[in-house]
Amino acid sequence: MRDRPSVVWLILAFVVAVNHRFIPESRWLMVHLVMLGAVTHSAMVWSTHFTQALLKSPESIDPRKHQTLRLAMLFAGVSSITIGVPTLWWWLVVAGACLVVGAVCWHAVQLGRRLRAALPGRFRITIRYYLLAAACVPVGATLGVLLARGPQEQTHAELLVAHSMTMVLGWLGFTVLGTLVTLGPTILRTRIDEKAEAYSIRALPFFAIFLATTVTGALLDNRPTLLAGLFGYVLCVVAWAVPLVRAFRGAKQRREFAAWSTGAGVLWLVAAAVTLLVRVARDPLVEISASYGRVASMVVVGFALQLVTGALSYLIPSVVGGGPRVLAAGRSVFEKWSTARLVLINGGLLLCVLPVPSAVRVVLSVVVLLALAAFIPLMFRAIRSMVRTRIALATGAPTEPPAALSGSRIVQALSAALALAVAVVAGLALNPVILGGTPDQALSPSSVVATGRTTTVQVTAHDMHFMPKAVQVPAGDRLVVVLTNRDTKNSHDLTFTNGKATDRLRPGQSQTLDVGVVGASTQGWCSVLGHRRMGMVFDVVVTGKPAVQANSPVPANAEQPLRPDDRAPRSVVDASLPPAPSTKVHRLRLPIVEQEMEVAPGIKQKRWTFGGTVPGPTLRGRIGDTFEITLVNQGSMGHSIDFHAGSLAPDRPMRTIAPGQSLVYRFTATRAGIWMYHCSTMPMSMHIAAGMHGAVIIDPPNLPTVDREYVLVQSEAYVNGDGRSKVAEVDGDAVSAEKPDLATFNGIASQYDHRPLTAKVGERVRIWVLNAGPNRGTSFHVVGGQYDRVYFEGNDLLNGGPGGAQSLALAVAQGGFVELTLPEAGNYPFVSHVMVDAERGAHGILRVSR
């Protein structure tokens, strides 16, 4: 019963994993649903159980109702944290952290009371491991709360490493190490090594010292200290494990799933620590934190999930009890395809952390996820089988024989290995399709004769260049490129005309690419939008025969203009503008999301967005207000943000951040107007054209209220393909040539023709207009209307006189508002009076009723 919350957290983690593309902060959620939810709950339940079993203390010291209350506190705290972090409700994160710390500290106090009340006996050291583990939680929770505040990049990296080491190596690591001293031999059905207790006693103070050294080194960004701490911790684990290895070698029941799964979990913990050790020796913390996914996968999947599933497969039958036949009924279910599951999980994870193509990693991840998820139905089936057997034994009814093993272990292992091989082949087959190439294209003419030799070159990507920029290859040689991304901000890849390409590499990552046999000079390039145009090309020059220049396909605009559907778009952006909120501090979490969106009825494009909308969220405030924006890069390349509404040095707040990183941008509004914000990563024109722009409205002092208020952000769309059969990113060539396919208000051409803005006769209407461009000016006009107030770039142009205005002319990155009152009912078109853009979609209707 007490393990049910752990199952709930595991099921939620599975749901998030399956739907990760649609869930904000999905990676963070998956990690914390497993580690903070399932594993922490199990740690509290089972450490209490083992303490009671070892010390034989009275139940009255810690009644079960108190234990239940602690677990309820823990559940509420974890729930608050998992809601508060993605929503940026920091107060909820603080409240959740306090509940978690309170539950764990209460748990530690009760363990200490049991220890003091118990008679002297063996393996009291296990409870001291639990107490040391619990002491890590307040430290780790404090670091986690500080992380949730969205600190600057360097501070974020320091806090992330310190937090993860405290919680993984400390809270969970010490709990596991203390438990396995006695549980490991128990699972193996063998005697505990006579030196196990002594080894554990000697290791404990060193574990504490090395963990403190690791956390201190991370917080101070002191590489020697951090390296010393990690290295010492790994050595302590190796020394601690010596008695356990002896027990394993002498055990007769080591073939069970529980033994192999828990053993593999400990090995993955060591592997994760060693991997981090190597990364710390090579890279700065900022780069490590930006690509923490590999270490996180080792810890969550390799260590935590395997440890939980392995331990539960032994503990649940043991605690349910009922005699040998009941135990056999439960354990036989847990052994179903156990060898195959272990090979799929560990072999798949091992392949995933290697530099394999992205499509291969995706397929393998699905295989590993399914192999892990199989434990949940098996657990329920095992419990049901044990309950039925107990009832049958109690009533004298015939019992079902234990479930038979699913084939020999050799057959299972070979079947799992074959499944992994099929997954790898499937991923390799999918990878060229994902990259947009065709696997059968060749760089060499059909007449070239392969020499059998291989030319291997080391290439680095940095600052929008490949180094070296060119390589000479003898005709007929096979070309192998080892690409390393030395850029600290941007992701890069290398793509060739035959479809061969690396993954999109984050800062610090490397990958080896077999380009194939070359017989003609060709060119590779970075496929991240705009990078090729900025000079990221790599020339392959063939020597030893006349070079034939291979054709490099360059995306081009469609020959025929795009023709939007006559129907309304699937969704229409609400142009109505609410009043400025009364708060003086405006906080917003702004994730960068890449997704397919309509740019005209029936026409889609892969847009780069702030917050999942184009334009991004409109912010509104008053002079003197402070804005705190947490930018989170969930995209596949480097991005940044520039708020024109703030006046501050751009070096830090407007820097480009790599995928997975975040920054906090703070500014105070000092002047009124409608101000543009946009991505300022080069090439800026393409990032803005892809959808990365929005508006900040700072009300002029004493701005009167009006009956209707709208905001319209005009921009251009450059569609690569037809937007129907081919949905691609922005057409970089068309942006550079200043040849837009569409002109839009609020990101979708013609949307307000189908769903007009509304007003009533005699009402005063205010329309804020911002021209985001990136290339074309506008002249905003309401057909049939006359403006009696025009506010342009901070100035009232009409000054209340008898004159009026017919349009608001705006260059790119300029804005203002117009006010008018319409005397008759009817449909009043509003357009860009740059008529070619009106015909491209920069028009809509203001419908006035009585």
Side-chain angles (χ1 to χ4, degrees):
M1 291 290 290
R2 290 177 177 239
D3 276 315
R4 286 186 178 179
S6 291
V7 177
V8 170
W9 294 124
L10 291 175
I11 292 173
L12 288 174
F14 178 79
V15 171
V16 172
V18 172
N19 300 281
H20 67 279
R21 291 182 177 272
F22 313 105
I23 299 176
E25 300 288 356
S26 58
R27 179 180 295 176
W28 183 93
L29 275 174
M30 285 186 283
V31 169
H32 287 78
L33 287 171
V34 172
M35 303 296 285
L36 187 59
V39 181
T40 295
H41 181 93
S42 293
M44 286 184 58
V45 169
W46 292 104
S47 58
T48 299
H49 172 79
F50 292 131
T51 300
Q52 176 64 23
L54 287 169
L55 300 181
K56 305 294 191 296
S57 55
E59 185 69 27
S60 59
I61 291 180
D62 186 19
R64 291 185 68 83
K65 63 180 181 180
H66 291 174
Q67 298 175 31
T68 302
L69 183 57
R70 288 201 299 273
L71 295 175
M73 285 179 59
L74 177 68
F75 189 88
V78 175
S79 301
S80 299
I81 292 170
T82 53
I83 294 171
V85 170
T87 58
L88 286 182
W89 293 347
W90 193 65
W91 61 271
L92 193 58
V93 177
V94 174
C98 290
L99 286 171
V100 170
V101 170
V104 174
C105 288
W106 185 6
H107 167 73
V109 169
Q110 296 303 96
L111 294 182
R113 291 184 63 205
R114 287 179 184 269
L115 186 63
R116 287 196 303 272
L119 295 174
R122 294 186 68 195
F123 296 107
R124 293 163 63 94
I125 188 62
T126 294
I127 291 81
R128 291 190 170 89
Y129 271 85
Y130 294 160
L131 294 175
L132 181 60
C136 296
V137 173
V139 178
T142 301
L143 297 173
V145 168
L146 294 174
L147 271 172
R149 288 289 289 170
Q152 297 291 340
E153 185 177 14
Q154 180 63 36
T155 305
H156 179 276
E158 296 164 359
L159 290 173
L160 176 62
V161 175
H163 167 71
S164 58
M165 293 300 98
T166 303
M167 297 304 288
V168 173
L169 302 183
W171 163 236
L172 298 178
F174 292 156
T175 301
V176 169
L177 295 172
T179 301
L180 287 181
V181 173
T182 55
L183 180 61
T186 304
I187 292 175
L188 294 168
R189 317 286 208 285
T190 187
R191 295 183 60 183
I192 301 175
D193 188 280
E194 60 183 12
K195 295 183 178 180
E197 185 176 22
Y199 273 62
S200 297
I201 292 172
R202 286 197 292 266
L204 183 60
F206 289 101
F207 273 127
I209 291 169
F210 287 124
L211 177 63
T213 303
T214 301
V215 174
T216 302
L219 290 174
L220 299 177
D221 194 14
N222 186 294
R223 184 176 298 185
T225 303
L226 181 54
L227 285 170
L230 284 171
F231 186 71
Y233 191 97
V234 171
L235 286 182
C236 279
V237 173
V238 173
W240 164 91
V242 169
L244 203 61
V245 172
R246 290 175 185 161
F248 181 81
R249 293 175 61 185
K252 297 180 180 179
Q253 298 292 333
R254 63 188 184 190
R255 297 173 63 187
E256 289 190 354
F257 173 78
W260 283 104
S261 187
T262 52
V266 174
L267 290 177
W268 277 111
L269 177 64
V270 175
V274 171
T275 301
L276 187 60
L277 186 69
V278 173
R279 289 294 310 276
V280 170
R282 187 185 66 186
D283 300 321
L285 281 187
V286 171
E287 293 188 15
I288 295 172
S289 68
S291 55
Y292 218 37
R294 183 175 301 180
V295 174
S297 299
M298 293 180 180
V299 170
V300 175
V301 179
F303 166 59
L305 285 175
Q306 288 203 101
L307 194 78
V308 168
T309 55
L312 290 183
S313 67
Y314 173 81
L315 290 169
I316 288 176
S318 300
V319 174
V320 170
R325 296 182 69 177
V326 177
L327 291 177
R331 287 173 179 161
S332 65
V333 176
F334 281 117
E335 290 301 314
K336 295 289 290 183
W337 286 102
S338 59
T339 303
R341 287 186 282 129
L342 284 167
V343 172
L344 289 174
I345 293 167
N346 291 280
L349 179 59
L350 179 61
L351 291 171
C352 280
V353 299
L354 295 176
V356 297
S358 58
V360 174
R361 186 173 290 112
V362 169
V363 177
L364 288 170
S365 299
V366 172
V367 171
V368 173
L369 182 64
L370 292 175
L372 285 166
F375 176 81
I376 295 176
L378 285 175
M379 181 180 65
F380 287 119
R381 183 178 170 186
I383 293 172
R384 185 171 65 250
S385 177
M386 288 187 290
V387 171
R388 287 177 177 175
T389 304
R390 287 189 65 167
I391 294 173
L393 291 173
T395 59
T399 59
E400 298 179 3
L405 289 176
S406 306
S408 73
R409 298 189 184 275
I410 294 178
V411 171
Q412 290 185 47
L414 291 176
S415 300
L418 179 61
L420 290 175
V422 171
V424 171
V425 172
L428 291 173
L430 289 172
N431 204 56
V433 177
I434 293 173
L435 292 170
T438 56
D440 295 330
Q441 289 176 306
L443 286 173
S444 57
S446 58
S447 59
V448 71
V449 177
T451 64
R453 297 189 300 267
T454 299
T455 297
T456 302
V457 292
Q458 302 283 337
V459 180
T460 59
H462 179 65
D463 197 22
M464 295 301 171
H465 293 287
F466 289 117
M467 296 298 293
K469 294 184 177 181
V471 61
Q472 292 187 346
V473 182
D477 274 19
R478 179 176 295 276
L479 174 62
V480 174
V481 177
V482 181
L483 178 66
T484 302
N485 183 7
R486 292 301 181 194
D487 209 319
T488 59
K489 300 176 180 178
N490 279 307
S491 298
H492 298 293
D493 62 22
L494 181 57
T495 301
F496 288 91
T497 57
N498 65 342
K500 298 293 183 67
T502 66
D503 296 335
R504 192 160 286 182
L505 305 179
R506 292 187 176 186
Q509 289 185 323
S510 298
Q511 187 175 343
T512 300
L513 176 66
D514 185 349
V515 181
V517 176
V518 295
S521 295
T522 188
Q523 191 177 79
W525 65 92
C526 179
S527 69
V528 176
L529 192 63
H531 289 196
R532 182 180 188 179
R533 186 167 296 279
M534 294 186 69
M536 291 203 73
V537 294
F538 176 71
D539 290 310
V540 177
V541 180
V542 169
T543 61
K545 66 182 296 293
V548 180
Q549 182 65 39
N551 293 324
S552 299
V554 179
N557 249 6
E559 292 296 328
Q560 300 297 325
L562 293 177
R563 299 189 182 280
D565 296 345
D566 292 332
R567 61 175 175 80
R570 294 195 176 191
S571 61
V572 174
V573 178
D574 185 4
S576 59
L577 183 66
S582 58
T583 179
K584 299 294 292 181
V585 179
H586 309 265
R587 292 187 175 92
L588 176 68
R589 176 183 179 275
L590 203 57
I592 295 171
V593 181
E594 299 172 4
Q595 60 189 26
E596 289 185 10
M597 301 177 68
E598 275 190 305
V599 290
I603 297 175
K604 289 185 176 182
Q605 185 181 49
K606 186 175 181 182
R607 304 283 259 170
W608 308 344
T609 73
F610 290 120
T613 63
V614 177
T618 298
L619 309 179
R620 191 172 192 182
R622 299 176 178 86
I623 294 175
D625 286 3
T626 298
F627 292 80
E628 183 179 291
I629 312 300
T630 301
L631 185 70
V632 183
N633 189 353
Q634 297 178 356
S636 61
M637 65 193 78
H639 290 294
S640 58
I641 196 165
D642 172 6
F643 283 96
H644 293 188
S647 179
L648 67 170
D651 306 68
R652 294 290 296 168
M654 301 181 197
R655 69 187 185 277
T656 296
I657 58 174
Q661 293 183 346
S662 63
L663 63 81
V664 177
Y665 193 126
R666 296 182 183 89
F667 67 90
T668 299
T670 57
R671 292 180 172 81
I674 178 169
W675 304 87
M676 183 177 174
Y677 68 85
H678 61 90
C679 180
S680 57
T681 298
M682 297 300 290
M684 205 178 305
S685 60
M686 296 182 193
H687 286 249
I688 296 172
M692 303 192 76
H693 56 262
V696 179
I697 296 175
I698 306 300
D699 288 353
N702 304 316
L703 182 68
T705 59
V706 293
D707 299 297
R708 309 271 179 164
E709 198 165 9
Y710 297 104
V711 59
L712 299 173
V713 178
Q714 183 176 325
S715 62
E716 305 119 42
Y718 302 82
V719 181
N720 189 349
D722 60 12
R724 292 183 174 90
S725 62
K726 178 183 179 183
V727 179
E729 294 175 319
V730 62
D731 188 335
D733 290 333
V735 174
S736 298
E738 301 183 38
K739 294 182 178 179
D741 295 289
L742 301 165
T744 75
F745 287 126
N746 292 343
I748 304 175
S750 311
Q751 61 178 317
Y752 301 117
D753 286 353
H754 300 278
R755 298 194 186 165
L757 309 183
T758 59
K760 292 184 177 181
V761 171
E763 286 186 334
R764 187 159 193 81
V765 179
R766 178 184 297 136
I767 303 175
W768 292 84
V769 184
L770 173 70
N771 181 19
N775 295 327
R776 299 181 62 78
T778 187
S779 179
F780 182 73
H781 172 66
V782 177
V783 179
Q786 294 180 335
Y787 308 147
D788 57 22
R789 184 176 185 185
V790 175
Y791 184 87
F792 169 75
E793 285 290 288
N795 291 302
D796 269 308
L797 300 184
L798 296 181
N799 298 318
Q806 56 198 308
S807 69
L808 173 62
L810 301 172
V812 175
Q814 289 186 329
F817 68 76
V818 296
E819 293 182 9
L820 71 165
T821 301
L822 299 165
E824 296 180 355
N827 292 326
Y828 293 78
F830 56 87
V831 300
S832 168
H833 223 292
V834 180
M835 294 312 299
V836 67
D837 287 336
E839 293 159 2
R840 289 181 173 128
H843 55 77
I845 293 173
L846 176 60
R847 180 165 292 164
V848 179
S849 60
R850 294 193 180 276

